[in-house]
Amino acid sequence: MSQAPQYERRHKVCVIGSGNWGSAIAKIVAENTASRPDMFEPQVEMWVFEEQVEVSKKHKLYDASSEIFQGKQPLTKVINTLHENVKYLPDIRFPDNLHANPSLEDTVKDCTMLVFNLPHQFINGICDKLQGKILPFARAISCIKGVDIVDGKVTLFSESIGKKLGIYCGALSGANIATEVAKELYSETTIAYDPPTLDSKGPSPVGSFTNLQDALKTSFKHKDTSGALANVHLVPMPSEYPPVDHAFCKALFHRPYFHVRLVNDVAGVSLGGALKNVVALAAGFVDGKGWGDNAKSAVMRVGLLEMVKFGMKYFGETVNPKTFTEESCGVADLITSCAGGRNHRCAKLAVERGVSIDEISQQVLNGQMLQGTSTAKEVNVILKNDGVEDEFPLMTIVNRILEGKATVDDIPTFIER
Amino acid sequence: MSQAPQYERRHKVCVIGSGNWGSAIAKIVAENTASRPDMFEPQVEMWVFEEQVEVSKKHKLYDASSEIFQGKQPLTKVINTLHENVKYLPDIRFPDNLHANPSLEDTVKDCTMLVFNLPHQFINGICDKLQGKILPFARAISCIKGVDIVDGKVTLFSESIGKKLGIYCGALSGANIATEVAKELYSETTIAYDPPTLDSKGPSPVGSFTNLQDALKTSFKHKDTSGALANVHLVPMPSEYPPVDHAFCKALFHRPYFHVRLVNDVAGVSLGGALKNVVALAAGFVDGKGWGDNAKSAVMRVGLLEMVKFGMKYFGETVNPKTFTEESCGVADLITSCAGGRNHRCAKLAVERGVSIDEISQQVLNGQMLQGTSTAKEVNVILKNDGVEDEFPLMTIVNRILEGKATVDDIPTFIER
């Protein structure tokens, strides 16, 4: 395949976030931009929330002459010297073209693709700071797991980002334990990317305009279901750049050890990453009881179908059941989470020790809230409001068990109803 | 719900087979016939291949006065005395209405429902002996796992039984480790039951004839894909009996701890139980390498989709993809098998110890052949004949690894093609 540039300009990509998963994704992105110079500018900026870290002299890339070993140093400086995020992704070598940057504004400058991968509670604040700083025709991919469910309303993080910044944002999610991905152990992921059709041109793909002058603000039919994007105006990608489409997403994220499949179902991809945590609690309860592998796979199967049902009920026709039953973000992520994710582990321990799951998460996670418990609670608010708890017996009984209103022994009978 | 009999006659049920899984299913069936006297004669005969066994005096139901403790005794006598299959399902109490019977002819006498649950290599011989001994309008359910693939031809066990006996036979399969089911630990299963439409009456359900005199032999449109039933004449169930339909199957097999879902897709239910063993080998290989939970769920997901694809390709429109992706016989059985089934375990050990899987099965299974290895080989004959190995990369590479022509490290690249 020829890699001679066919377009006048190349895409510039940045990663916003540098935790465990953020660093692992930044490594992948930088590997790909380096290998496709026809399509991408190789250099990838990764925004790092600056903090002071001390680098252990046991560090395997230790070079005594470096000043980074003298007391506390800024994390960005450490990363750019060692090519390693010693704090959040230790022992993994970054490519040289990945550059840690403490300045948000500098990180996103001239970028046509923003990859978001930071804790969800920071999204709004970061997007506020980015307003007016990004290219108006930029696109984004959110790697933030799950969805935001507050007071009975489901919001996709990709929608929040898209709305705040006035750009289109897709979603990446899959069976992706970050440290395994960082070690280049084989895994898969799912990317949902489905920018809306531009009204003024009819159903023309993003990127089909002839030059920057044509890149007028154009209102589009929103495809999201919460209405978050209804009033956003999308600026087409100038035709100087390679189009941002499924092939683009694959070029940016696919690696020999990280296989990407593209879908159009942003809601399904995002929901999978949230609802699987509730199912993982059920699987953990069952494992804690020692009911065996039949019972575990049964609650996983029932949970998978309730995930599909929830998606279809609340995201209507935009959701494809196959996103849950056939993609990495669905069934595979569920399997991985039920094999040894923290929700599963804590639920199992809670049953084995006969204490509440909150008590376990205090002990095991230093009081960090489990995602599954808050999701189970918020999902239940929705189901109860709509009077449809009966249609989602597994989600419902998980919440009742968490509330102390039912026991694990009630699960089979409750599901049977 | 009233249980007053609405029909003149009740169904008589027998179980043919009394191994580990046969005994577990017989227990379930007997529990249900006892609890639904409106529909079933309570007594269930279970055919036992007679052998002499010695009962340990440590047996928990030990009664020194009983002659069954004097030296070797017939297995049927032991079962009928202790209400336990001490040899194949020890420590599980059978209901009193389950009766072990060494005579095939006596077991099936007057039975309207035959439940087959014996090692598949005995099917033909047993069916030969049953010819002319069963009610012509009997129906059957096969609980025999998997399918028979020989020389590039896939045969469903339910079809072999149906053809041999001239009756309709459905299939039961699911995430059902027998000892867990026998202990009444919660699990699920899938039953496929879809008798063909009778030609002479048009699309009339089985059981709609008014009396035995109407129960003439009637040719029917076969629904099987191998053509095995094409020349079979189906005798309608006399209307004196409750109809044998999905509700009947549920009444016979569903328990509070054994949840039954009914489908029409006999081929899908049967294929799931065979093909999952090939995927379990792949999962075991990956686990043996220590590639982690992402990689394991990835090969399981890829395998699940190849199971669907295989079903659609070779069983055409009779197969429903959802049988694989949503039912116990599909995704759940796959999960259970990849969690700790023998195919997974042996494949994992083979990689860990750096020896062939045949060597491991010699050591671990006393030379018993693994189902996954023979299925992988037979599936490959089909794929190779049709020149479609490329469409089934996971099934193909598993076979190549077994043949020593590829290594586990090749899996990600091979799947990526």
Side-chain angles (χ1 to χ4, degrees), chain B residues 373-404:
Chain B
T373 58
S374 54
T375 303
K377 190 182 167 131
E378 291 289 357
V379 162
N380 192 253
V381 171
I382 297 176
L383 301 180
K384 203 172 255 166
N385 276 350
D386 293 344
V388 293
E389 282 182 290
D390 280 1
E391 292 176 37
F392 297 86
L394 188 74
M395 305 267 180
T396 300
I397 190 136
V398 166
N399 189 58
R400 290 196 190 172
I401 292 167
L402 294 174
E403 287 178 339

mmCIF file of all heavy atoms in Angstrom, chain B residues 373-404:
data_model
loop_
_atom_site.group_PDB
_atom_site.id
_atom_site.type_symbol
_atom_site.label_atom_id
_atom_site.label_comp_id
_atom_site.label_asym_id
_atom_site.label_seq_id
_atom_site.Cartn_x
_atom_site.Cartn_y
_atom_site.Cartn_z
ATOM 1 N N THR B 373 -10.786 -31.198 20.417
ATOM 2 C CA THR B 373 -9.777 -31.497 19.399
ATOM 3 C C THR B 373 -10.397 -32.234 18.209
ATOM 4 O O THR B 373 -10.076 -31.938 17.071
ATOM 5 C CB THR B 373 -8.606 -32.316 19.991
ATOM 6 O OG1 THR B 373 -9.116 -33.521 20.551
ATOM 7 C CG2 THR B 373 -7.886 -31.549 21.078
ATOM 8 N N SER B 374 -11.302 -33.177 18.488
ATOM 9 C CA SER B 374 -11.916 -33.877 17.350
ATOM 10 C C SER B 374 -12.868 -32.938 16.605
ATOM 11 O O SER B 374 -12.923 -32.972 15.367
ATOM 12 C CB SER B 374 -12.622 -35.149 17.806
ATOM 13 O OG SER B 374 -13.539 -34.874 18.823
ATOM 14 N N THR B 375 -13.577 -32.085 17.314
ATOM 15 C CA THR B 375 -14.469 -31.143 16.625
ATOM 16 C C THR B 375 -13.659 -30.164 15.776
ATOM 17 O O THR B 375 -14.032 -29.863 14.634
ATOM 18 C CB THR B 375 -15.342 -30.373 17.636
ATOM 19 O OG1 THR B 375 -16.072 -31.314 18.429
ATOM 20 C CG2 THR B 375 -16.332 -29.460 16.937
ATOM 21 N N ALA B 376 -12.544 -29.668 16.328
ATOM 22 C CA ALA B 376 -11.704 -28.722 15.570
ATOM 23 C C ALA B 376 -11.250 -29.358 14.261
ATOM 24 O O ALA B 376 -11.260 -28.722 13.205
ATOM 25 C CB ALA B 376 -10.504 -28.301 16.410
ATOM 26 N N LYS B 377 -10.886 -30.611 14.357
ATOM 27 C CA LYS B 377 -10.402 -31.326 13.177
ATOM 28 C C LYS B 377 -11.517 -31.534 12.150
ATOM 29 O O LYS B 377 -11.342 -31.268 10.960
ATOM 30 C CB LYS B 377 -9.876 -32.692 13.662
ATOM 31 C CG LYS B 377 -9.115 -33.497 12.654
ATOM 32 C CD LYS B 377 -8.715 -34.833 13.284
ATOM 33 C CE LYS B 377 -8.231 -35.792 12.235
ATOM 34 N NZ LYS B 377 -6.957 -36.410 12.620
ATOM 35 N N GLU B 378 -12.660 -31.972 12.622
ATOM 36 C CA GLU B 378 -13.772 -32.244 11.713
ATOM 37 C C GLU B 378 -14.325 -30.961 11.102
ATOM 38 O O GLU B 378 -14.703 -30.928 9.932
ATOM 39 C CB GLU B 378 -14.878 -33.023 12.436
ATOM 40 C CG GLU B 378 -14.504 -34.457 12.802
ATOM 41 C CD GLU B 378 -14.416 -35.390 11.571
ATOM 42 O OE1 GLU B 378 -14.692 -34.937 10.453
ATOM 43 O OE2 GLU B 378 -14.049 -36.565 11.744
ATOM 44 N N VAL B 379 -14.373 -29.889 11.904
ATOM 45 C CA VAL B 379 -14.816 -28.598 11.372
ATOM 46 C C VAL B 379 -13.854 -28.149 10.282
ATOM 47 O O VAL B 379 -14.261 -27.647 9.235
ATOM 48 C CB VAL B 379 -14.907 -27.544 12.495
ATOM 49 C CG1 VAL B 379 -14.939 -26.116 11.929
ATOM 50 C CG2 VAL B 379 -16.140 -27.790 13.365
ATOM 51 N N ASN B 380 -12.555 -28.374 10.528
ATOM 52 C CA ASN B 380 -11.568 -27.951 9.537
ATOM 53 C C ASN B 380 -11.708 -28.697 8.211
ATOM 54 O O ASN B 380 -11.477 -28.114 7.143
ATOM 55 C CB ASN B 380 -10.147 -28.099 10.092
ATOM 56 C CG ASN B 380 -9.134 -27.392 9.202
ATOM 57 O OD1 ASN B 380 -8.369 -28.029 8.497
ATOM 58 N ND2 ASN B 380 -9.169 -26.066 9.198
ATOM 59 N N VAL B 381 -12.099 -29.957 8.281
ATOM 60 C CA VAL B 381 -12.341 -30.704 7.042
ATOM 61 C C VAL B 381 -13.411 -29.986 6.208
ATOM 62 O O VAL B 381 -13.258 -29.779 4.997
ATOM 63 C CB VAL B 381 -12.782 -32.154 7.348
ATOM 64 C CG1 VAL B 381 -13.245 -32.865 6.076
ATOM 65 C CG2 VAL B 381 -11.654 -32.932 8.019
ATOM 66 N N ILE B 382 -14.469 -29.570 6.880
ATOM 67 C CA ILE B 382 -15.556 -28.853 6.187
ATOM 68 C C ILE B 382 -15.066 -27.534 5.604
ATOM 69 O O ILE B 382 -15.296 -27.224 4.434
ATOM 70 C CB ILE B 382 -16.720 -28.595 7.179
ATOM 71 C CG1 ILE B 382 -17.303 -29.932 7.659
ATOM 72 C CG2 ILE B 382 -17.785 -27.708 6.546
ATOM 73 C CD1 ILE B 382 -18.385 -29.778 8.715
ATOM 74 N N LEU B 383 -14.371 -26.750 6.448
ATOM 75 C CA LEU B 383 -13.926 -25.423 6.002
ATOM 76 C C LEU B 383 -12.939 -25.544 4.837
ATOM 77 O O LEU B 383 -12.978 -24.752 3.902
ATOM 78 C CB LEU B 383 -13.282 -24.657 7.165
ATOM 79 C CG LEU B 383 -14.156 -24.423 8.397
ATOM 80 C CD1 LEU B 383 -13.371 -23.643 9.451
ATOM 81 C CD2 LEU B 383 -15.434 -23.671 8.031
ATOM 82 N N LYS B 384 -12.065 -26.521 4.923
ATOM 83 C CA LYS B 384 -11.062 -26.708 3.876
ATOM 84 C C LYS B 384 -11.727 -27.164 2.578
ATOM 85 O O LYS B 384 -11.448 -26.641 1.511
ATOM 86 C CB LYS B 384 -10.024 -27.736 4.348
ATOM 87 C CG LYS B 384 -8.689 -27.615 3.656
ATOM 88 C CD LYS B 384 -7.658 -28.532 4.310
ATOM 89 C CE LYS B 384 -6.677 -27.772 5.172
ATOM 90 N NZ LYS B 384 -5.889 -28.637 6.055
ATOM 91 N N ASN B 385 -12.618 -28.134 2.685
ATOM 92 C CA ASN B 385 -13.365 -28.604 1.502
ATOM 93 C C ASN B 385 -14.017 -27.450 0.762
ATOM 94 O O ASN B 385 -14.054 -27.419 -0.461
ATOM 95 C CB ASN B 385 -14.481 -29.570 1.919
ATOM 96 C CG ASN B 385 -13.963 -30.990 2.081
ATOM 97 O OD1 ASN B 385 -12.831 -31.284 1.702
ATOM 98 N ND2 ASN B 385 -14.786 -31.856 2.659
ATOM 99 N N ASP B 386 -14.587 -26.526 1.556
ATOM 100 C CA ASP B 386 -15.333 -25.429 0.948
ATOM 101 C C ASP B 386 -14.455 -24.225 0.659
ATOM 102 O O ASP B 386 -14.953 -23.197 0.185
ATOM 103 C CB ASP B 386 -16.486 -25.012 1.867
ATOM 104 C CG ASP B 386 -17.534 -26.113 1.984
ATOM 105 O OD1 ASP B 386 -17.509 -27.020 1.128
ATOM 106 O OD2 ASP B 386 -18.361 -26.057 2.910
ATOM 107 N N GLY B 387 -13.172 -24.335 0.979
ATOM 108 C CA GLY B 387 -12.266 -23.210 0.726
ATOM 109 C C GLY B 387 -12.601 -21.965 1.518
ATOM 110 O O GLY B 387 -12.435 -20.850 1.034
ATOM 111 N N VAL B 388 -13.109 -22.145 2.734
ATOM 112 C CA VAL B 388 -13.514 -20.973 3.521
ATOM 113 C C VAL B 388 -12.780 -20.882 4.860
ATOM 114 O O VAL B 388 -13.291 -20.295 5.818
ATOM 115 C CB VAL B 388 -15.041 -20.953 3.771
ATOM 116 C CG1 VAL B 388 -15.780 -20.727 2.456
ATOM 117 C CG2 VAL B 388 -15.512 -22.249 4.440
ATOM 118 N N GLU B 389 -11.582 -21.436 4.925
ATOM 119 C CA GLU B 389 -10.808 -21.307 6.169
ATOM 120 C C GLU B 389 -10.611 -19.834 6.556
ATOM 121 O O GLU B 389 -10.640 -19.493 7.732
ATOM 122 C CB GLU B 389 -9.443 -21.985 6.011
ATOM 123 C CG GLU B 389 -9.479 -23.502 6.119
ATOM 124 C CD GLU B 389 -8.077 -24.085 6.008
ATOM 125 O OE1 GLU B 389 -7.515 -24.020 4.897
ATOM 126 O OE2 GLU B 389 -7.553 -24.584 7.018
ATOM 127 N N ASP B 390 -10.431 -18.981 5.545
ATOM 128 C CA ASP B 390 -10.209 -17.555 5.813
ATOM 129 C C ASP B 390 -11.376 -16.895 6.531
ATOM 130 O O ASP B 390 -11.197 -15.905 7.237
ATOM 131 C CB ASP B 390 -9.981 -16.795 4.488
ATOM 132 C CG ASP B 390 -8.561 -16.959 4.003
ATOM 133 O OD1 ASP B 390 -7.784 -17.668 4.679
ATOM 134 O OD2 ASP B 390 -8.232 -16.380 2.956
ATOM 135 N N GLU B 391 -12.571 -17.425 6.307
ATOM 136 C CA GLU B 391 -13.742 -16.815 6.943
ATOM 137 C C GLU B 391 -13.879 -17.238 8.407
ATOM 138 O O GLU B 391 -14.684 -16.688 9.145
ATOM 139 C CB GLU B 391 -15.016 -17.205 6.184
ATOM 140 C CG GLU B 391 -15.118 -16.610 4.798
ATOM 141 C CD GLU B 391 -16.358 -17.114 4.076
ATOM 142 O OE1 GLU B 391 -17.405 -17.294 4.728
ATOM 143 O OE2 GLU B 391 -16.264 -17.360 2.855
ATOM 144 N N PHE B 392 -13.114 -18.252 8.794
ATOM 145 C CA PHE B 392 -13.197 -18.770 10.162
ATOM 146 C C PHE B 392 -11.788 -18.852 10.750
ATOM 147 O O PHE B 392 -11.302 -19.943 11.070
ATOM 148 C CB PHE B 392 -13.876 -20.148 10.175
ATOM 149 C CG PHE B 392 -15.291 -20.133 9.690
ATOM 150 C CD1 PHE B 392 -15.593 -20.234 8.345
ATOM 151 C CD2 PHE B 392 -16.341 -19.981 10.594
ATOM 152 C CE1 PHE B 392 -16.910 -20.193 7.893
ATOM 153 C CE2 PHE B 392 -17.657 -19.947 10.157
ATOM 154 C CZ PHE B 392 -17.941 -20.057 8.799
ATOM 155 N N PRO B 393 -11.132 -17.682 10.899
ATOM 156 C CA PRO B 393 -9.717 -17.724 11.287
ATOM 157 C C PRO B 393 -9.472 -18.363 12.653
ATOM 158 O O PRO B 393 -8.472 -19.064 12.830
ATOM 159 C CB PRO B 393 -9.295 -16.250 11.262
ATOM 160 C CG PRO B 393 -10.557 -15.465 11.281
ATOM 161 C CD PRO B 393 -11.595 -16.311 10.631
ATOM 162 N N LEU B 394 -10.370 -18.168 13.614
ATOM 163 C CA LEU B 394 -10.112 -18.741 14.932
ATOM 164 C C LEU B 394 -10.219 -20.266 14.908
ATOM 165 O O LEU B 394 -9.345 -20.977 15.405
ATOM 166 C CB LEU B 394 -11.057 -18.160 16.002
ATOM 167 C CG LEU B 394 -10.668 -18.607 17.418
ATOM 168 C CD1 LEU B 394 -9.419 -17.877 17.899
ATOM 169 C CD2 LEU B 394 -11.803 -18.390 18.401
ATOM 170 N N MET B 395 -11.302 -20.760 14.304
ATOM 171 C CA MET B 395 -11.465 -22.218 14.201
ATOM 172 C C MET B 395 -10.269 -22.821 13.448
ATOM 173 O O MET B 395 -9.788 -23.900 13.784
ATOM 174 C CB MET B 395 -12.743 -22.566 13.417
ATOM 175 C CG MET B 395 -14.007 -21.952 13.966
ATOM 176 S SD MET B 395 -14.868 -23.036 15.132
ATOM 177 C CE MET B 395 -16.270 -22.017 15.564
ATOM 178 N N THR B 396 -9.832 -22.090 12.417
ATOM 179 C CA THR B 396 -8.740 -22.588 11.585
ATOM 180 C C THR B 396 -7.419 -22.618 12.343
ATOM 181 O O THR B 396 -6.691 -23.617 12.307
ATOM 182 C CB THR B 396 -8.619 -21.718 10.314
ATOM 183 O OG1 THR B 396 -9.851 -21.798 9.605
ATOM 184 C CG2 THR B 396 -7.482 -22.202 9.416
ATOM 185 N N ILE B 397 -7.111 -21.535 13.076
ATOM 186 C CA ILE B 397 -5.807 -21.527 13.740
ATOM 187 C C ILE B 397 -5.781 -22.507 14.916
ATOM 188 O O ILE B 397 -4.739 -23.097 15.201
ATOM 189 C CB ILE B 397 -5.355 -20.110 14.159
ATOM 190 C CG1 ILE B 397 -3.890 -20.182 14.622
ATOM 191 C CG2 ILE B 397 -6.206 -19.538 15.267
ATOM 192 C CD1 ILE B 397 -3.014 -19.118 14.128
ATOM 193 N N VAL B 398 -6.911 -22.712 15.543
ATOM 194 C CA VAL B 398 -6.942 -23.719 16.617
ATOM 195 C C VAL B 398 -6.536 -25.077 16.045
ATOM 196 O O VAL B 398 -5.706 -25.793 16.609
ATOM 197 C CB VAL B 398 -8.329 -23.797 17.286
ATOM 198 C CG1 VAL B 398 -8.454 -25.056 18.142
ATOM 199 C CG2 VAL B 398 -8.579 -22.560 18.146
ATOM 200 N N ASN B 399 -7.099 -25.409 14.891
ATOM 201 C CA ASN B 399 -6.738 -26.689 14.283
ATOM 202 C C ASN B 399 -5.267 -26.737 13.867
ATOM 203 O O ASN B 399 -4.592 -27.744 14.050
ATOM 204 C CB ASN B 399 -7.637 -26.971 13.070
ATOM 205 C CG ASN B 399 -7.435 -28.371 12.541
ATOM 206 O OD1 ASN B 399 -7.622 -29.345 13.284
ATOM 207 N ND2 ASN B 399 -7.013 -28.490 11.295
ATOM 208 N N ARG B 400 -4.765 -25.612 13.342
ATOM 209 C CA ARG B 400 -3.349 -25.592 12.950
ATOM 210 C C ARG B 400 -2.435 -25.740 14.164
ATOM 211 O O ARG B 400 -1.376 -26.365 14.083
ATOM 212 C CB ARG B 400 -3.029 -24.297 12.199
ATOM 213 C CG ARG B 400 -3.688 -24.293 10.839
ATOM 214 C CD ARG B 400 -3.130 -23.249 9.897
ATOM 215 N NE ARG B 400 -3.999 -23.197 8.721
ATOM 216 C CZ ARG B 400 -3.901 -22.297 7.760
ATOM 217 N NH1 ARG B 400 -2.981 -21.356 7.826
ATOM 218 N NH2 ARG B 400 -4.731 -22.330 6.737
ATOM 219 N N ILE B 401 -2.829 -25.135 15.267
ATOM 220 C CA ILE B 401 -2.030 -25.281 16.493
ATOM 221 C C ILE B 401 -2.038 -26.756 16.923
ATOM 222 O O ILE B 401 -1.002 -27.320 17.274
ATOM 223 C CB ILE B 401 -2.560 -24.365 17.612
ATOM 224 C CG1 ILE B 401 -2.317 -22.892 17.258
ATOM 225 C CG2 ILE B 401 -1.916 -24.701 18.960
ATOM 226 C CD1 ILE B 401 -3.059 -21.885 18.123
ATOM 227 N N LEU B 402 -3.203 -27.372 16.867
ATOM 228 C CA LEU B 402 -3.300 -28.789 17.238
ATOM 229 C C LEU B 402 -2.439 -29.659 16.321
ATOM 230 O O LEU B 402 -1.842 -30.639 16.753
ATOM 231 C CB LEU B 402 -4.758 -29.267 17.174
ATOM 232 C CG LEU B 402 -5.721 -28.637 18.186
ATOM 233 C CD1 LEU B 402 -7.147 -29.095 17.909
ATOM 234 C CD2 LEU B 402 -5.332 -28.991 19.618
ATOM 235 N N GLU B 403 -2.354 -29.246 15.056
ATOM 236 C CA GLU B 403 -1.549 -30.013 14.082
ATOM 237 C C GLU B 403 -0.068 -29.664 14.146
ATOM 238 O O GLU B 403 0.730 -30.215 13.384
ATOM 239 C CB GLU B 403 -2.054 -29.727 12.655
ATOM 240 C CG GLU B 403 -3.397 -30.372 12.333
ATOM 241 C CD GLU B 403 -3.860 -30.009 10.925
ATOM 242 O OE1 GLU B 403 -3.389 -29.000 10.366
ATOM 243 O OE2 GLU B 403 -4.713 -30.747 10.388
ATOM 244 N N GLY B 404 0.284 -28.701 15.006
ATOM 245 C CA GLY B 404 1.684 -28.296 15.112
ATOM 246 C C GLY B 404 2.140 -27.402 13.979
ATOM 247 O O GLY B 404 3.337 -27.176 13.786
#
